[in-house]
């Protein structure tokens, strides 16, 4: 396995809370998959979990080298959870295609948050 890319992002939870309050479902549907929304809404403080996923999406597109360009949209980068609770990455559409061209076959994702900030770090690996 070889490291193909890395990405990191830090997000203020208050910023995401403001977007959730101001734009509600429109922001959620543009940015998060239905599964991500269901997970975050089931949490005691949804904004913290939305912020961590927002940071993860930013970190992934940094590792892809595209940002949110070349057809890559927010909901095409999905944060998943294993049965044990470990976070993972699932790509769709243009994000998945870009990862394929780059030879990325595995993602490592780490998330952390407080009430004020959320951070995500990703490593993309090839075969």
């Amino acid at each position: 396995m070889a490291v193909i890319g890395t990405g990191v992002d830090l997000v203020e939870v208050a910023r995401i809370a403001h977007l959730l309050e101001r734009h509600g479902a429109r922001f959620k549907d543009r940015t998060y998959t239905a599964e991500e929304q269901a997970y975050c809404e089931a949490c005691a403080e949804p904004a913290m979990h939305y912020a961590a996923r927002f940071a993860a999406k930013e970190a992934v597109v940094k590792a892809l080298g595209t940002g949110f360009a070349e057809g890559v949209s927010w909901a095409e980068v999905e944060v998943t959870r294993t049965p044990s609770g470990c976070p993972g990455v699932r790509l769709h559409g243009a994000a998945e295609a870009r990862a394929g061209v780059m030879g990325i076959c595995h993602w490592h994702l780490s998330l952390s948050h407080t009430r004020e900030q959320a951070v995500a770090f990703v490593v993309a690996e090839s075969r």
Side-chain angles (χ1 to χ4, degrees):
M1 296 268 190
V3 173
I4 297 296
T6 62
V8 65
D9 197 62
L10 179 68
V11 175
E12 292 181 4
V13 173
R15 175 178 166 225
I16 300 304
H18 176 74
L19 290 168
L20 291 166
E21 290 171 16
R22 184 171 179 171
H23 300 290
R26 182 172 166 246
F27 170 67
K28 291 178 193 176
D29 292 343
R30 276 188 69 205
T31 311
Y32 304 96
T33 66
E35 291 80 8
E36 289 172 315
Q37 291 180 46
Y39 171 77
C40 293
E41 292 299 326
C43 294
E45 295 189 43
M48 282 192 320
H49 299 277
Y50 278 116
R53 278 145 187 78
F54 192 94
K57 292 166 185 277
E58 287 276 11
V60 167
V61 298
K62 289 174 183 178
L64 289 173
T66 60
F68 287 102
E70 298 182 27
V72 176
S73 66
W74 288 95
E76 290 182 344
V77 178
E78 181 178 10
V79 175
T80 61
R81 290 174 45 91
T82 65
S84 65
C86 294
V89 175
R90 181 181 303 132
L91 302 179
H92 308 278
E96 182 179 27
R98 172 71 176 170
V101 168
M102 294 176 70
I104 297 170
C105 67
H106 187 73
W107 291 91
H108 301 274
L109 172 62
S110 182
L111 302 174
S112 189
H113 54 72
T114 66
R115 291 177 189 221
E116 291 83 29
Q117 297 181 322
V119 65
F121 180 76
V122 298
V123 175
E125 286 185 325
S126 70
R127 290 177 177 69

